Each structure stands twice: as C-alpha cells, then as structure tokens.
Amino acid sequence: MNVNGASSRVLPKGLAPRDFENALQKFAVAIGDEWVISSENELKNYRDPFAFASADPREFAPSAAVKPASVEEVRSIVRIANELKVPLWVISRGKNLGYGGAAPRVAGSVTIDLGRMNRILEVNEELCYAVVEPGVTFFDLYEHIQGRKLKLWISVPALGWGSVVGNALDRGVGYTPYGEHSENICGMEVVLPDGGLIRTGMGALSHGKTWHSFKPGYGPSVDGLFMQSNFGIVTKAGIWLMPQPDFFVACDLHFERESDLERIVDITGELRREDIVQNTAVLSNAVRLISRLGARDAWFAGGGAAPESAVQAKLQEMGLGAWNLRFAIYGAEELAEARLKIAKRAYGAVAGARFESKKWDVRAHGAEEFTAAIGSESVQAGVPSLFALEVLKYRGEDGGHIGFSPILAPSGKEAVKLANLAGRLCREHGFDYYGGFSFGFRHLWSVMMILYDKKSDEHRAQADRLFRRLVKEAGELGFAEYRAHVEYMDLVGDPYDFNGHALRRFTETLKDAVDPGGILAPGKQGIWPKRMRENGGQTQ
Ligand SMILES: Cc1cc2nc3c(=O)[nH]c(=O)nc-3n(C[C@H](O)[C@H](O)[C@H](O)COP(=O)(O)OP(=O)(O)OC[C@H]3O[C@@H](n4cnc5c(N)ncnc54)[C@H](O)[C@@H]3O)c2cc1C
C-alpha cells in the first residue's frame, strides 16, 4: 500500500503518483470535476464503517471515488482505468454493512459509486416486475409503487436503505416469498471490464419484448456470472415483484426449550418445501431478539459473554422462548386459512409451543395503517424500514458487526451441530451467540452477527479470532459461507476446494479472458486477476 506524501491517501500498489493524478484528471474530463471525490474527508464515506480486525483505517481504503450519471460515463471510467491500470471497485449504495460496507477489497482502488444512477425505468404491474438502475433503494421502489397505488409488493432486507440491485448481486435475502433476491433478477445490462456493453437473456434481442420475463435466454445463462463477481458492472436489472396478496397472515411462534431446535427445523423445512410456509421463515435465538432493544448494559453491565441466568431473566420479562419463529402466509383467504390450519397442526407436535397469528385483509387497509400495525414485522410484507439498526448498539453506542453466514441443509441435526459450535466459540471469545436460521426452499442460511464495540481494540481483535475459528471449525463440519466481508474473501473461498480448487481456476480463467488488464474489483470473492495472482495476492 502506498501513502501519498503529506496526506494519508492510499494509492494502488505499484501505481506511480503521477499516473494516479493523470487518471483523476481524465475521470474529471469524462464525468465532471465535481463527481470525482478525492478529499480525505469525503472518502471516509467509502470505507468500512465497521472496520475491525485491522487498526489501520487505510487497510481497505479507496484512493478516490467517482460518481457517474450514465452508462456511457461508466464505460469511460473503465476505459481510463484500463489505460492507466487503476483498480476499480463498484458500489450501488455501499450499505453492505457486516460485509465491508462500501470498502474495496484492494486498498487504493477507485470506487465507482453508482448512487446517481437511480432511475426506476419501468414498473410493469401486469407482469409484476420492475427495471431499475443500481442507485435505486428499497425505499425508493416502495414509495414509487405506493405513490401509484400499484398492486405489487417488493421484497426487502432488514434495512431498506440499500440498493435493490446491489443487494441482489451480493445474493441478499428478504422475507417475502420473493426473498431470495438473486433468484428474482431477470435480465441485466452490464458494462464489461474492457468497456464493452451487453444485455443478458432476452435482452440480447435488439427488438425483444421479454427481457424481464424469461430468465435463461438462448445458450448459457449468464446472469449469475455477474453476482458476487468481478466480471462486470451491472447498470440496470429487471427484478420480479410479488402480486399484492388479498390476505396476509403474520405468524409468531415461541418454543420453550433450547432442545426444541431439531424438531422446529425439521418441521419448518418440510412446511417450506410443501409451500405451506411460503416466505423466508426466520428462527431466532433469545439473544437475537433481546439485542433489538439496543444496549446490553441496560440488563447486564459486565464484560464478556452474558451469563445464561441474565439472558433467561430477560427472556422471561419479554415473554420470549428459547427459540422464536416468524413466518407469514399470503394469498386468497381460503388458501391462507388452509395453510394456517396445517401449520398449526404441524407445530402442535412440539410440546409447549405457543402459536400466535394475525390476519390482515390487505385490500381493506391502506399501506400506512397496515405498516404501523405490524411494526418491525413489516419486512414480511415488503415494507422497508431501519428498525434493525438498533442491534448495533448492543455492545456499545458505537457498535459494529460482522456477519458469519454459512449454508446448511434444512435438517434439525445439522442446525443443532452448528448452533452448539457457534454458541461455544462465542462464549470462549466473550460474545453472546446472536444466532438463528432463515429458511430457503432447500437450504438454511445460518444468520449470525458478531456484535462488538468498535472503540475497543480488544473487542475487535476477539471478533477477528472468533470469525477465523468459526470459518475453520464450521468448515470441518462441512459448512461454508455464502457471502463474505472483504477482509475474509480469500479465507471464505478456501473450503470450496473440490479437485484442487478447480472452480476457482475456472473463474480465474474467465476473469483473465474478460478483464485482461485485471482492473475490476481484483480479489473480490477470492478471484484475482493474473497480474496479481502470480505474485501471490495484491501485487502488480
Ligand atoms: C442490522 C443489519 C441487518 C441486515 N439485514 C440484512 C438482511 O436482512 N438481508 C441482507 O441481504 N442483508 C442484510 N444486511 C446487510 C446489508 O446491509 C444489505 O445486504 C445491503 O442491502 C447491502 O448494501 P447495498 O444494497 O447498498 O449494496 P452495495 O454495498 O452497493 O453492494 C453489495 C455488493 O455488490 C457489489 N455490487 C454492487 N453494485 C454492483 C454493480 N452495479 N455491479 C457489480 N457489482 C456490484 C459490491 O461490490 C458489493 O460487493 C444487514 C446489515 C445490518 C447492519
């Protein structure tokens, strides 16, 4: 990493300061001076707000940011970067908190901030899709749909300020039946690392009409190649939306014993496959729900992991179970009632389970009334909010977190193995186990946040140790992550090792072919371009 003269600006390794200044000038000519950000103060917004393992704030810092307003401007930036060998990083809104925020994988990269490209290009109410630019947030799309009284629901992650496109590209998760966001992308426009421009699927037809309704197109499907990848910059995408259901039933279940976990996962996995549970059901342990109240100091003022007795006392006070499940049912009243009946019968097999449900006639209630009534559960109705931010204060007003997110089979036995391991390791490193599972059709996302005090060096160091042990020891049980913080992208990719990491070699072959200059997001998801690979990582 280079630090430029008097300022602490980080330059890309191997790039002469003169070439860097030259690149900035060319960017300014291409997109306008005011859209090239290079002041130390403004660049702080492009770092990881939760930086932790390294005390050096420059470790994952960009050298500059550029804010194009159009596809042509993105293409110009890419061409200049190729000419001068400037590494680029891309963000849509840069809210990837827990996975690095806006920070680039390689220090000194120039960050392309697509926030100004924020047009909602189309919302098709009949076919239920939207076409958006990367700068469109969940709030933007929701308000657009509500403002026009369209009978459509979007799917949102727990925080609504992120990008519809950016979140889906990182394979983000929401809580309606359309919650697997990457699966609902249909048709993209992509700027390639050499400045070329493609449209995927049916978008490759100059006069096609089904770009956003038929995903595969003709020949190999390539949308997935641009997710969690460094093969291109997505400049627009189609996203499928859910037809507004007539009825919405929010279900809340509380289970008394820790040992109920195996049964709950087996039952919910089966109900999900049978489409009785239609959305991303979320199973949470006690700490996950308690942490929503904010600062832990309010009920336990000590350091290290909170003792079981304190957690239990808080649980009782809040009327929660050791495990708590939330899911929703959607659609015509007859179908909703039938699904509810089947679900109640299935969970009745778990002794002591409490089942609560609230049914809403969506047609009879305006969005505002409906949203106010369901509060933080609104994500299951695709209503964006920022309720979830409160958890960050759990271990200090200035808190941060890192996500550990391995994928499991939806099997009770597997969930128990992971929960036992995570609980033990968290305790050993002085953290409370904030844990749970989200249910996909054929898998579980294990959701775990390591919540720490950003101001404490000891906390940050322990969080790093804990994360590394989790990857290693969960890996030995066959669990690997689906998503990673920039700092751990190589580490998380290592267990994907079949046939001597043949998959990684394949993606590197693709990388070298589409990005011979190796300029776009080097190292993202462990995929390094040739010029950096040969010298073992971030070198020229
Ligand atoms: C309390 C809390 C709760 C959270 N809950 C959830 C949750 O429920 N579900 C969830 O999914 N996440 C969750 N997150 C994580 C995160 O906040 C969201 O995923 C957020 O939407 C990601 O930020 P973004 O949408 O701005 O994407 P960005 O930060 O813009 O991008 C995300 C990734 O995609 C890449 N990328 C972005 N745009 C492009 C592009 N146009 N072309 C190519 N690559 C691109 C970026 O390089 C980056 O790696 C949570 C975080 C916190 C702190």
Side-chain angles (χ1 to χ4, degrees):
M1 167 193 333
N2 272 345
V3 180
N4 187 18
S7 88
S8 61
R9 176 189 279 164
V10 183
L11 293 191
K13 199 167 189 178
L15 189 71
R18 197 175 351 107
D19 286 340
F20 178 72
E21 290 307 325
N22 190 8
L24 290 194
Q25 277 164 20
K26 288 186 179 230
F27 290 142
V29 171
I31 68 170
D33 203 27
E34 79 237 73
W35 304 115
V36 178
I37 314 291
S38 59
S39 83
E40 191 65 18
N41 204 27
E42 285 176 283
L43 282 180
K44 283 190 187 133
N45 300 329
Y46 294 97
R47 292 182 178 174
D48 182 3
F50 298 171
F52 67 106
S54 164
D56 185 347
R58 297 167 303 172
E59 187 107 2
F60 294 95
S63 54
V66 287
K67 301 174 82 171
S70 68
V71 176
E72 280 315 311
E73 288 188 359
V74 174
R75 299 178 78 184
S76 303
I77 291 165
V78 165
R79 289 191 192 110
I80 296 163
N82 265 300
E83 187 190 324
L84 293 163
K85 293 278 176 291
V86 177
L88 299 171
W89 183 255
V90 187
I91 57 167
S92 285
R93 298 302 311 187
K95 296 289 189 190
N96 213 6
L97 303 181
Y99 301 103
R105 172 68 187 85
V106 167
S109 299
V110 170
T111 298
I112 304 182
D113 175 349
L114 298 169
R116 288 175 69 216
M117 293 173 63
N118 60 357
R119 289 177 303 162
I120 296 171
L121 300 167
E122 182 188 354
V123 178
N124 188 319
E125 191 177 19
E126 188 188 356
L127 297 181
C128 305
Y129 68 75
V131 187
V132 293
E133 292 187 326
V136 172
T137 67
F138 293 96
F139 283 118
D140 296 335
L141 185 56
Y142 177 78
E143 279 156 21
H144 180 97
I145 288 171
Q146 291 303 315
R148 286 161 184 73
K149 298 194 184 316
L150 304 177
K151 302 246 171 295
L152 295 170
W153 278 15
I154 65 172
S155 175
V156 298
L159 297 175
W161 58 12
S163 154
V164 174
V165 172
N167 175 278
L169 293 181
D170 212 25
R171 304 210 178 91
V173 180
Y175 305 95
T176 69
Y178 286 53
E180 196 155 345
H181 293 163
S182 57
E183 291 288 307
N184 288 299
I185 289 278
C186 182
M188 298 172 171
E189 180 184 84
V190 186
V191 171
L192 298 175
D194 64 358
L197 183 70
I198 60 167
R199 288 186 171 178
T200 67
M202 304 305 276
L205 293 165
S206 298
H207 302 292
K209 294 178 180 166
T210 50
W211 187 14
H212 305 297
S213 49
F214 181 66
K215 291 181 195 176
Y218 178 68
S221 308
V222 299
D223 279 9
L225 281 180
F226 300 104
M227 293 170 186
Q228 290 194 355
S229 96
N230 47 16
F231 300 158
I233 300 170
V234 177
T235 46
K236 32 184 96 68
I239 182 103
W240 284 357
L241 307 174
M242 178 176 163
Q244 177 185 289
D246 288 351
F247 282 82
F248 168 75
V249 187
C251 301
D252 263 306
L253 286 86
H254 305 287
F255 303 90
E256 281 174 9
R257 294 167 301 266
E258 291 270 350
S259 58
D260 289 333
L261 177 61
E262 185 173 337
R263 285 291 283 140
I264 306 165
V265 170
D266 284 336
I267 293 169
T268 312
E270 194 174 340
L271 293 177
R272 183 87 174 98
R273 288 189 291 282
E274 290 168 348
D275 208 27
I276 303 298
V277 168
Q278 297 164 283
N279 66 333
T280 314
V282 174
L283 181 62
S284 302
N285 74 356
V287 169
R288 187 173 181 188
L289 297 190
I290 295 171
S291 65
R292 287 184 185 175
L293 302 177
R296 189 183 79 168
D297 278 355
W299 54 274
F300 174 68
E308 194 49 36
S309 55
V311 175
Q312 281 306 323
K314 195 67 195 162
L315 262 190
Q316 301 278 318
E317 185 192 314
M318 292 172 73
L320 298 172
W323 291 100
N324 305 275
L325 181 72
R326 166 192 98 184
F327 65 88
I329 291 172
Y330 309 78
E333 189 167 24
E334 306 88 303
L335 289 173
E337 286 295 349
R339 282 192 162 95
L340 188 59
K341 196 168 156 194
I342 296 169
K344 281 186 174 164
R345 192 168 60 221
Y347 290 109
V350 185
R354 274 185 290 136
F355 195 126
E356 294 159 12
S357 62
K358 266 184 265 158
K359 186 168 89 178
W360 291 88
D361 182 344
V362 178
R363 299 159 305 178
H365 296 275
E368 268 174 36
E369 184 195 338
F370 180 63
T371 311
I374 54 178
S376 67
E377 299 312 313
S378 60
V379 285
Q380 297 192 108
V383 184
S385 76
L386 296 178
F387 288 120
L389 275 180
E390 212 49 31
V391 300
L392 299 175
K393 298 183 188 147
Y394 187 63
R395 293 301 295 273
E397 193 57 34
D398 198 16
H401 92 267
I402 164 131
F404 175 67
S405 320
I407 297 293
L408 277 66
S411 135
K413 287 199 168 30
E414 295 289 282
V416 169
K417 268 191 229 165
L418 187 81
N420 286 346
L421 174 75
R424 178 171 58 77
L425 294 186
C426 281
R427 271 191 306 279
E428 284 177 23
H429 288 271
F431 294 94
D432 299 338
Y433 170 40
Y434 170 119
F437 302 92
S438 297
F439 288 76
F441 274 117
R442 299 283 186 286
H443 71 275
L444 300 178
W445 290 274
S446 164
V447 181
M448 183 177 161
M449 282 193 187
I450 305 171
L451 294 159
Y452 58 91
D453 180 355
K454 284 195 294 182
K455 290 204 188 99
S456 158
D457 289 346
E458 171 58 13
H459 249 204
R460 292 204 317 270
Q462 282 291 5
D464 177 50
R465 279 181 220 125
L466 170 58
F467 185 84
R468 289 177 190 280
R469 281 190 71 191
L470 281 164
V471 172
K472 183 170 181 295
E473 295 183 37
E476 285 160 8
L477 297 176
F479 307 129
E481 283 202 282
Y482 83 101
R483 196 171 175 184
H485 186 283
V486 284
E487 181 145 6
Y488 300 120
M489 282 180 170
D490 291 328
L491 182 78
V492 167
D494 278 346
Y496 290 83
D497 62 353
F498 169 74
N499 194 17
H501 290 103
L503 182 61
R504 184 190 291 164
R505 289 200 305 279
F506 176 69
T507 49
E508 284 169 352
T509 304
L510 294 179
K511 177 69 179 165
D512 295 342
V514 298
D515 185 9
I519 50 126
L520 186 61
K524 190 171 199 312
Q525 255 68 36
I527 305 170
W528 292 95
K530 194 158 186 261
R531 70 179 172 120
M532 298 190 178
R533 249 176 7 243
E534 285 172 347
N535 294 327
Q538 302 175 38
T539 52
Q540 299 293 308

